[in-house]
Amino acid sequence: MERTLAIIKPDAVERGFTGKIFDRIEGNGLKIIALKMIHLTKKEAEGFYKVHAQRPFFPGLTTYMSSETVVIAVLEGKDAIKKWRDLMGATNPKDAAAGTIRKDFAVDIEKNSVHGSDSPESASYEISYFFSSIEIFSHKRTKT
């Protein structure tokens, strides 16, 4: 089973789309194995998006991501990274396929409602940025 990080961004949380997004996640065979709602500080957002620090959109992205509450989840499933990225759709909602989260819920390229890891390496880093191992639960745990 593969794991990936999902963030429901401030625009989607503010507009009440969290439940609808989780319905799509679970409806497409992904399991939510960790979940939290937080308000990132600017410094936390900068740390999380540090790979983009030299990109021109970095200041706006980190300001936006620290502007309001976000919902962060770890998703698990077969090919979870690809499956979640397919559900999200293209970064720019104008380019996103019909029926994807970004096509249906995003405001624009910056306020595009969701984030997802793009590789196993980024998933590992991103998950550990927000969750400790004791906060992540597998649905296949055995009862003792």
Side-chain angles (χ1 to χ4, degrees):
M1 286 293 151
E2 188 173 64
R3 292 178 176 176
T4 190
L5 188 83
I7 300 177
I8 302 176
K9 294 182 177 183
D11 66 281
V13 174
E14 286 178 50
R15 292 179 294 131
F17 294 138
T18 302
K20 291 179 181 184
I21 292 169
F22 282 144
D23 282 345
R24 290 187 187 199
I25 288 168
E26 292 180 324
N28 281 277
L30 294 169
K31 302 286 186 190
I32 300 165
I33 62 169
L35 181 66
K36 61 175 68 174
M37 180 180 272
I38 63 173
H39 190 132
L40 293 169
T41 65
K42 176 81 165 166
K43 186 175 181 174
E44 289 167 337
E46 289 170 345
F48 180 73
Y49 285 108
K50 70 182 179 183
V51 297
H52 300 300
Q54 301 306 313
R55 307 284 296 269
F57 60 81
F58 181 75
L61 173 62
T62 56
T63 297
Y64 163 63
M65 289 300 291
S66 60
S67 67
E68 293 291 338
T69 303
V70 295
V71 176
I72 303 173
V74 179
L75 310 179
E76 184 177 70
K78 184 174 177 8
D79 299 318
I81 294 168
K82 181 182 181 332
K83 193 174 281 188
W84 175 230
R85 293 191 68 78
D86 288 347
L87 280 170
M88 289 190 307
T91 302
N92 187 338
K94 291 179 183 178
D95 300 330
T100 62
I101 292 168
R102 289 179 172 149
K103 187 66 158 187
D104 294 344
F105 302 129
V107 175
D108 56 36
I109 193 167
E110 180 182 78
K111 296 179 180 174
N112 63 6
S113 298
V114 288
H115 165 89
S117 306
D118 62 6
S119 68
E121 296 77 23
S122 67
S124 178
Y125 167 76
E126 292 178 353
I127 290 168
S128 68
Y129 192 85
F130 291 111
F131 294 95
S132 69
S133 61
I134 63 169
E135 295 177 297
I136 301 172
F137 302 91
S138 175
H139 289 277
K140 296 191 179 227
R141 294 180 86 167
T142 57
K143 295 181 181 179
T144 54

